[in-house]
């Protein structure tokens, strides 16, 4: 067996999954690690190298020189297993890693297995635009809504049907899970950060509302104690921005003015004015509407500083389409943007394993 995993993939008792497999006598030849590396100590977008665990178990990177398993590695195993915690958003790259691995296994005639894990933000439902072929990339490789509301097991079924129908696939289902509760609402659930800057279920809930800022000249909170839960820049007046954002009376969220100094990433060492998001009611919070309001207001107040057009390729890849950016820069209202995205996603039919 080969295993795609990282250090956050643990059993209920807290034991790392690969150690449990070794203890149970599984003939584990190697591990494959996604973005951020096996130890989750590599920042987003930075290449991750390999390692050796337990003295002899090699870890090969799927976010280094190549993002697909090498055919020579696949020849060493009978089955490749996927065990990673996703966060339910298309641009989070673990599902792209799974897609690339499934395609490689299909070509090599190797079976693929998914050990399913919860989508911690599934009650938020689907939202955002579908992927357009011209915007396909590693941060958007699947024609699903931006918020897809599926587990990795359900995504795997979708990938098999759409991209590799000849693949031998098995999904090991969860027991006791349903999509109507957030991850931390299940008894015994323990959140373990699947990447350096998603540190809680609340962070995962806010991630789809602020991740588009990665493709702008505004800090999305990396290098602070609240990544993706706050944003800002040296040119932003946080008090005025928070006031204007709160005037929208968006459901389930309030905005508070803050100041912060990132210790890494954008504006390292610089004092930034900005806003922190506070989710007041998860059940009515709409991440994509919130993202649309934030971006529209920033573009209206700071059109040159925001730089949304200067990084258009990256922004369009995150969004899955240039239309989102074009709607923002043309002055379309957030309500109309969201309505258009919902119309576009009406025909999407997921493959579901759970009620």
């Amino acid at each position: 067996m080969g295993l795609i995993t990282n250090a956050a993939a643990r059993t209920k008792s807290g034991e790392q999954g690969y150690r449990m497999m070794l203890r149970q006598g599984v003939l584990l030849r190697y591990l494959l690690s996604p973005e951020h590396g096996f130890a989750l100590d590599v920042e987003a977008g930075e290449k991750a190298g390999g390692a050796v665990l337990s003295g002899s178990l090699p870890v090969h990177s799927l976010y280094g020189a190549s993002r697909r398993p090498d055919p020579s590695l696949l020849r060493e195993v009978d089955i490749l297993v996927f065990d990673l915690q996703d966060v339910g958003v298309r641009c989070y790259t673990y599902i792209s890693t799974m897609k690339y691995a499934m395609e490689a296994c299909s070509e090599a005639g190797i079976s693929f297995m998914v050990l399913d894990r919860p989508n911690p933000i599934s009650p938020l439902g689907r939202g955002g635009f579908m992927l357009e072929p011209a915007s396909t990339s590693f941060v958007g490789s699947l024609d699903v809504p931006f918020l897809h509301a599926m587990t990795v097991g359900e995504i795997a079924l979708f990938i098999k049907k759409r991209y590799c129908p000849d693949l031998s696939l098995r999904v090991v289902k969860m027991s006791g899970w349903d999509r109507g509760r957030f991850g931390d609402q299940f008894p015994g659930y323990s959140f373990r950060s699947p990447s350096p800057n998603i540190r809680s279920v609340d962070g995962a809930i806010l991630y789809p509302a602020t991740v588009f800022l990665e493709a702008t000249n505004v800090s999305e909170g990396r290098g602070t104690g609240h990544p993706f839960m706050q944003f800002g820049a040296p040119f932003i007046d946080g008090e005025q921005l928070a006031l204007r954002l709160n005037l929208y009376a968006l459901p389930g969220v309030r905005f508070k003015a803050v100041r912060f100094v990132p210790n890494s990433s954008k504006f390292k060492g610089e004092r930034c004015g900005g806003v922190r998001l506070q989710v007041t009611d998860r059940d009515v919070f709409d991440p994509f509407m919130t993202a649309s309001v934030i971006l529209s207001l920033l573009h209206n107040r700071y059109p040159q500083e925001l730089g949304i057009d200067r990084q258009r390729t990256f922004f369009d890849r995150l969004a899955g389409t240039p239309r989102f950016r074009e709607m923002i820069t043309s002055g379309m209202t957030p309500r109309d943007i969201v309505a258009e995205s919902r119309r576009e996603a009406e025909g999407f039919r997921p493959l579901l394993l759970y009620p």
Side-chain angles (χ1 to χ4, degrees):
M1 178 186 291
L3 178 64
I4 302 173
T5 193
N6 61 19
R10 296 174 179 262
T11 67
K12 186 175 180 179
S13 68
E15 184 179 16
Q16 289 187 325
Y18 84 92
R19 289 185 179 274
M20 177 273 293
M21 292 181 181
L22 290 173
R23 181 168 53 78
Q24 293 292 336
V26 173
L27 297 178
L28 196 55
R29 298 298 188 195
Y30 53 76
L31 306 184
L32 298 168
S33 62
E35 185 177 12
H36 307 296
F38 176 81
L40 299 167
D41 57 358
V42 180
E43 286 297 326
E46 296 181 8
K47 289 185 177 182
V52 177
L53 300 177
S54 302
S56 60
L57 184 64
V59 182
H60 303 282
S61 175
L62 292 180
Y63 201 79
S66 175
R67 295 180 182 178
R68 297 177 184 272
D70 191 279
S72 64
L73 287 177
L74 293 180
R75 287 193 289 270
E76 296 181 23
V77 298
D78 303 299
I79 187 169
L80 186 61
V81 179
F82 181 94
D83 184 19
L84 287 172
Q85 176 63 61
D86 185 50
V87 300
V89 183
R90 186 181 60 218
C91 67
Y92 199 74
T93 61
Y94 293 175
I95 57 174
S96 290
T97 291
M98 183 170 68
K99 175 178 181 284
Y100 287 12
M102 289 175 67
E103 290 173 334
C105 284
S106 181
E107 293 168 3
I110 300 298
S111 296
F112 195 83
M113 178 185 288
V114 177
L115 307 184
D116 212 2
R117 288 183 177 268
N119 178 336
I121 65 169
S122 61
L124 296 175
R126 296 192 292 274
F129 287 95
M130 300 291 290
L131 178 72
E132 294 184 8
S135 296
T136 299
S137 72
F138 198 62
V139 294
S141 64
L142 299 171
D143 187 21
V144 299
F146 182 69
L147 284 105
H148 52 70
M150 292 185 283
T151 69
V152 288
E154 292 170 333
I155 291 268
L157 295 177
F158 175 84
I159 292 170
K160 172 178 166 64
K161 181 178 180 180
R162 181 69 64 89
Y163 302 100
C164 42
D166 296 330
L167 174 68
S168 172
L169 170 67
R170 180 186 175 192
V171 176
V172 179
K173 292 177 60 176
M174 295 176 282
S175 60
W177 186 80
D178 68 79
R179 64 189 71 255
R181 288 186 283 177
F182 291 93
D184 54 5
Q185 293 174 334
F186 289 91
Y189 179 87
S190 178
F191 184 88
R192 295 184 177 90
S193 299
S195 58
N197 290 293
I198 305 291
R199 301 176 181 174
S200 64
V201 172
D202 285 339
I205 289 170
L206 287 171
Y207 173 75
T210 56
V211 67
F212 295 109
L213 294 170
E214 288 188 339
T216 71
N217 195 35
V218 170
S219 167
E220 65 279 7
R222 292 182 187 275
T224 77
H226 302 278
F228 297 112
M229 303 177 78
Q230 64 185 13
F231 63 90
F235 56 81
I236 286 179
D237 182 331
E239 296 285 348
Q240 285 297 315
L241 184 60
L243 176 65
R244 289 177 177 271
L245 285 167
N246 284 323
L247 288 175
Y248 278 89
L250 290 170
V253 65
R254 294 287 292 172
F255 301 89
K256 176 184 177 182
V258 294
R259 291 185 178 275
F260 58 82
V261 179
N263 58 30
S264 63
S265 194
K266 296 175 191 170
F267 308 120
K268 178 181 178 181
E270 298 184 54
R271 180 169 294 277
C272 297
V275 170
R276 186 172 301 163
L277 290 77
Q278 299 174 320
V279 175
T280 58
D281 188 345
R282 292 174 169 184
D283 293 332
V284 297
F285 177 59
D286 186 334
F288 192 67
M289 171 63 84
T290 303
S292 299
V293 167
I294 290 171
L295 290 163
S296 295
L297 189 52
L298 286 173
H299 179 71
N300 288 339
R301 289 187 63 78
Y302 309 104
Q304 298 304 316
E305 296 92 337
L306 182 62
I308 193 171
D309 276 330
R310 290 196 294 275
Q311 298 188 62
R312 65 179 62 192
T313 299
F314 185 27
F315 189 95
D316 295 350
R317 287 175 174 174
L318 288 175
T321 174
R323 296 171 61 216
F324 186 32
R325 173 180 51 81
E326 292 165 355
M327 290 174 180
I328 292 166
T329 57
S330 69
M332 182 180 286
T333 68
R335 187 177 301 275
D336 288 341
I337 292 173
V338 172
E340 181 64 23
S341 71
R342 288 174 178 166
R343 281 193 292 270
E344 184 178 290
E346 283 178 355
F348 177 70
R349 296 292 179 265
L351 296 171
L352 302 181
L353 290 168
Y354 310 92

